[in-house]
Amino acid sequence: MASDTIEKGDIVWLEYDAWTVNPNGTQTLFDTTHDEVAKKEGKFEEKKVYIESPVVVGKGRLFEGLDTALIGAKIGERKEVVIPAEKGAGVRDPRLVELKTEREFLRQEIDPEVGMEVSISGKRGIVTAVSAGRVRVDFNNPLAGKTLKYIVTPVRKAKTQEERVRAVIEMDYGLGEQFMIHLKDGAAEIQLPDVCKTDEKWFVSKFRVVADLRELTELKTIRFVEEYEKKETKPEAAPPPEAEAAKAAAEPATPAETKPRKKATATKPKPTRRAAKGEAAAPREKAPEEL
């Protein structure tokens, strides 16, 4: 039976509330897995799913202070962890605050405003000032230089190979429960849900999923499967002869000389051909009174 004590390399699911500790002693929530906490602090996001999150412990994927606190902790144990900046997001680096021309943003059809998150030359930053055609962007981690506080509870850990595979997919892409996973002899066949077939996010995440599966599992072969089914339409059942006879009796006879109506179409009418220069125009039919 697997131990409930967390060790380096374990994948565990965490419930947590994460705060920055301000110089005046107050706290500001910056992340949580609890929707009621987000609502209370005015940080609730409609599109976010508030649920326990899988993480890898002891592999440098978490803030150093949190990583250290989790190793040796037990599943179900609630911990309060205060993390200084140097063991969290690091200290602020003034060299990562840069001045850009407003023209650089306008070329990307971006109207820069203070507080806006932007991506410039592959780097993500926050606009901190806009004036006189210049835009100041801070490329530091938003949590850099801040003391962090976590109230965290590890609720379970991956104990089987399939649980680890599913957890990696959940960490790197999401929707882990919607993937069908078949494991055999060191190989994984992973059937994609329909949403992946047209999702650009999956095209990028797939390579990270493969890299993490190689690092965090003992799999030697990873195969992704996309399945497409042709849906056959059922032929309409022919109405019974009695129904056809009754329908024919109820419909009025159509005169033979009646012309069928034209169907409306979305195509433009073809332009009337004009007679070429020097070509005789077709004689029009005379009205009775002109005869």
Side-chain angles (χ1 to χ4, degrees):
M1 182 177 176
S3 168
D4 279 343
T5 301
I6 298 171
E7 301 173 0
K8 183 177 179 179
D10 280 345
I11 299 178
V12 299
W13 279 261
L14 303 179
E15 286 185 358
Y16 61 84
D17 302 316
W19 313 75
T20 57
V21 181
N22 305 316
N24 61 3
T26 60
Q27 298 178 158
T28 304
L29 184 76
F30 70 87
D31 198 8
T32 181
T33 58
H34 303 108
D35 57 355
E36 66 276 12
V37 174
K39 290 175 181 176
K40 181 181 177 181
E41 298 298 319
K43 298 294 182 70
F44 182 75
E45 299 176 33
E46 290 287 347
K47 294 182 179 180
K48 183 175 178 178
V49 178
Y50 292 87
I51 191 171
E52 63 267 16
S53 178
V55 300
V56 185
V57 177
K59 292 284 188 178
R61 307 286 184 96
L62 305 172
F63 293 135
E64 181 185 348
L66 182 58
D67 232 358
T68 302
L70 288 172
I71 295 176
K74 292 189 178 297
I75 298 300
E77 177 186 357
R78 183 177 182 272
K79 302 193 73 169
E80 183 174 312
V81 185
V82 177
I83 306 171
E86 58 271 18
K87 291 191 176 181
V91 296
R92 284 181 54 77
D93 185 349
R95 293 172 298 179
L96 294 179
V97 180
E98 301 178 14
L99 272 179
K100 303 286 184 181
T101 64
E102 192 171 11
R103 192 180 304 111
E104 291 181 66
F105 294 88
L106 297 178
R107 277 200 297 262
Q108 300 182 50
E109 298 183 353
I110 298 173
D111 187 11
E113 297 178 359
V114 174
M116 178 184 289
E117 184 175 328
V118 294
S119 179
I120 303 292
S121 303
K123 298 187 297 183
R124 300 187 74 82
I126 301 293
V127 175
T128 57
V130 180
S131 64
R134 294 285 185 270
V135 180
R136 188 171 65 207
V137 183
D138 187 350
F139 291 104
N140 281 283
N141 186 310
L143 299 175
K146 298 181 180 180
T147 298
L148 310 179
K149 175 182 172 182
Y150 276 81
I151 299 175
V152 58
T153 304
V155 293
R156 60 190 173 99
K157 70 176 179 178
K159 297 180 179 180
T160 67
Q161 186 85 296
E162 181 176 337
E163 286 180 335
R164 289 181 74 86
V165 172
R166 205 174 291 281
V168 166
I169 295 171
E170 181 65 36
M171 284 188 294
D172 293 341
Y173 175 67
L175 307 177
E177 295 301 319
Q178 295 188 26
F179 289 73
M180 292 181 64
I181 300 169
H182 304 282
L183 303 174
K184 187 176 181 181
D185 301 329
E189 183 177 282
I190 303 171
Q191 186 171 325
L192 307 183
D194 287 344
V195 66
C196 290
K197 297 172 184 176
T198 56
D199 186 6
E200 292 183 3
K201 181 186 173 186
W202 168 250
F203 301 147
V204 176
S205 301
K206 176 171 61 175
F207 300 100
R208 187 165 60 247
V209 170
V210 171
D212 279 349
L213 288 176
R214 286 173 173 166
E215 179 185 353
L216 302 173
T217 71
E218 298 175 356
L219 294 171
K220 293 182 172 54
T221 305
I222 301 157
R223 183 182 302 111
F224 295 110
V225 178
E226 294 184 22
E227 187 172 277
Y228 297 86
E229 290 185 4
K230 182 179 180 180
K231 295 182 179 180
E232 296 184 2
T233 55
K234 295 182 179 179
E236 294 184 9
E242 309 87 61
E244 284 289 340
K247 182 180 177 182
E251 291 180 352
T254 303
E257 64 274 9
T258 303
K259 294 183 180 179
R261 294 183 179 179
K262 290 184 179 179
K263 293 183 180 179
T265 67
T267 57
K268 292 182 180 180
K270 293 183 179 180
T272 305
R273 180 179 178 276
R274 292 186 178 180
K277 188 174 181 181
E279 182 182 347
R284 67 180 181 87
E285 188 177 342
K286 292 185 178 182
E289 58 271 17
E290 293 180 306
L291 295 176

